[in-house]
Amino acid sequence: MKMFKGTKVSSTGLRLAAVAGIAAMLGACAGLELEGVQGLDPQGSEFNQQLYAGYIELSSNELAENDYRDSDYFALKAAVAARGDDVRPTALEERRIPADKVEELAKARNRLMAMLVGSGKGKAPIVAARAQLSFDCWMQEQEEGHQPSNIAECRNAFYGSVVAAEVAMRPPPPEPEPEPEPEPSYVTYYVVFFEFDSSDLSGAAMQTLDEAAATATEMRPYKILIRGHTDRAGPDAYNLKLSEQRALSVASYLIENGAGRFVIHAEGLGESEPIAKTSDNVADGRNRRAEISLIDAE
């Protein structure tokens, strides 16, 4: 007998009559049970409905091979499944199994029962039913023992189905931890430039300082450091004073535009740190500047 092809349920709406115990009824096996249970309207869970369809197919296959005893055996199991009652897989003592095959079949049945009493019937009723049907098929073929290809087919179908049911029973994987929000990236260094001998802010300088104030409001720095510079034209003392005025001019603008809540340190460095390395008394616009640094840690 080959393994059944599927487990799709068909029904005629007939009511199921009371069915006595399978073991007791097999005493008068004559291959007559299948006709009485075909076309029943299976009750209960989807698992039971799948069992009913599968046992009908197994019974039909055995009847076609003139194996009346096994045809009746599977037909009576189909009747119990159709009623919605519990149908257990074939027990080892129900079949004459070769001694060298008992251990594997016993382990297979234990694995099957663990799946069935777990959540397999509910989470994966189709493959759970197929696992039980394949096991019963394997037991029946192993007892006959003369069709190795049929034994292998039922055995392989069992292992494939029970693994699929076990996979379906696994709890879903935990939700992945959300990726941490990346730290915001801020521009923390700004430079504004001045006209010769002036600490007045140009339109371009004020636009740059508006950006610095907005960044400070969002970033909330530990400190704002402002350093004023001059070019090398003029006396050192005069340039030092001018550089301080430039730093203070920047600080005042930042305070007026929202940065007053932060610690602001303004200092003048005169002509001591030029960007453009010029000779003394050379006026160079690149050196007439104030540098603003937003510092977020001490």
Side-chain angles (χ1 to χ4, degrees):
M1 179 205 72
K2 290 186 178 181
M3 180 58 191
F4 51 89
K5 298 177 182 177
T7 55
K8 185 177 180 181
V9 175
S10 62
S11 62
T12 63
L14 298 177
R15 303 291 295 178
L16 174 65
V19 179
I22 293 174
M25 295 189 68
L26 287 175
C29 291
L32 301 177
E33 298 297 337
L34 178 60
E35 183 178 357
V37 298
Q38 282 181 315
L40 294 175
D41 183 13
Q43 306 299 306
S45 66
E46 184 178 2
F47 173 77
N48 270 62
Q49 294 176 34
Q50 297 293 327
L51 283 185
Y52 168 76
Y55 281 128
I56 289 292
E57 188 170 349
L58 287 172
S59 178
S60 299
N61 291 342
E62 293 305 314
L63 186 62
E65 294 182 359
N66 299 317
D67 184 348
Y68 302 126
R69 180 181 184 278
D70 283 324
S71 176
D72 285 348
Y73 176 80
F74 290 129
L76 291 171
K77 279 198 157 187
V80 177
R83 194 169 59 197
D85 292 341
D86 185 33
V87 185
R88 292 299 180 94
T90 302
L92 263 67
E93 55 268 22
E94 294 182 62
R95 300 282 186 181
R96 294 184 179 90
I97 303 298
D100 62 334
K101 305 297 182 182
V102 169
E103 182 178 0
E104 182 185 12
L105 281 163
K107 289 181 178 179
R109 190 178 191 279
N110 289 339
R111 184 175 179 177
L112 174 62
M113 290 302 299
M115 181 271 291
L116 294 175
V117 299
S119 57
K121 293 181 185 180
K123 289 187 174 181
I126 295 176
V127 291
R130 186 171 178 83
Q132 176 165 330
L133 294 163
S134 302
F135 178 81
D136 282 6
C137 172
W138 180 13
M139 287 282 287
Q140 185 268 329
E141 291 291 346
Q142 191 66 73
E143 182 183 50
E144 288 184 351
H146 60 270
Q147 294 177 303
S149 62
N150 288 353
I151 295 172
E153 184 178 354
C154 296
R155 178 180 179 274
N156 292 341
F158 165 75
Y159 282 116
S161 299
V162 78
V163 167
E166 289 168 345
V167 169
M169 292 167 59
R170 294 174 185 169
E175 290 292 328
E177 292 291 330
E179 291 291 331
E181 290 292 330
E183 291 291 330
S185 178
Y186 299 110
V187 176
T188 59
Y189 177 78
Y190 300 85
V191 181
V192 295
F193 294 92
F194 296 87
E195 294 295 326
F196 180 73
D197 196 22
S198 173
S199 61
D200 294 337
L201 296 172
S202 66
M206 287 188 284
Q207 183 176 352
T208 299
L209 294 179
D210 286 339
E211 295 175 8
T215 300
T217 300
E218 184 176 343
M219 176 185 169
R220 302 176 65 85
Y222 167 75
K223 180 172 65 175
I224 299 176
L225 175 62
I226 304 168
R227 309 179 84 188
H229 303 270
T230 68
D231 58 26
R232 302 196 66 191
D236 290 352
Y238 181 84
N239 284 338
L240 179 61
K241 185 67 174 178
L242 179 59
S243 68
E244 291 173 350
Q245 292 171 348
R246 288 172 174 170
L248 291 174
S249 179
V250 168
S252 297
Y253 188 90
L254 291 177
I255 291 171
E256 291 172 2
N257 287 274
R261 74 183 89 173
F262 308 113
V263 174
I264 296 179
H265 178 78
E267 62 182 357
L269 299 178
E271 60 180 70
S272 64
E273 294 185 7
I275 292 177
K277 306 298 183 182
T278 67
S279 300
D280 194 18
N281 293 318
V282 173
D284 192 312
R286 292 172 292 176
N287 293 330
R288 297 192 294 268
R289 71 197 189 279
E291 299 171 320
I292 303 95
S293 298
L294 309 182
I295 301 171
D296 62 359
E298 186 174 2

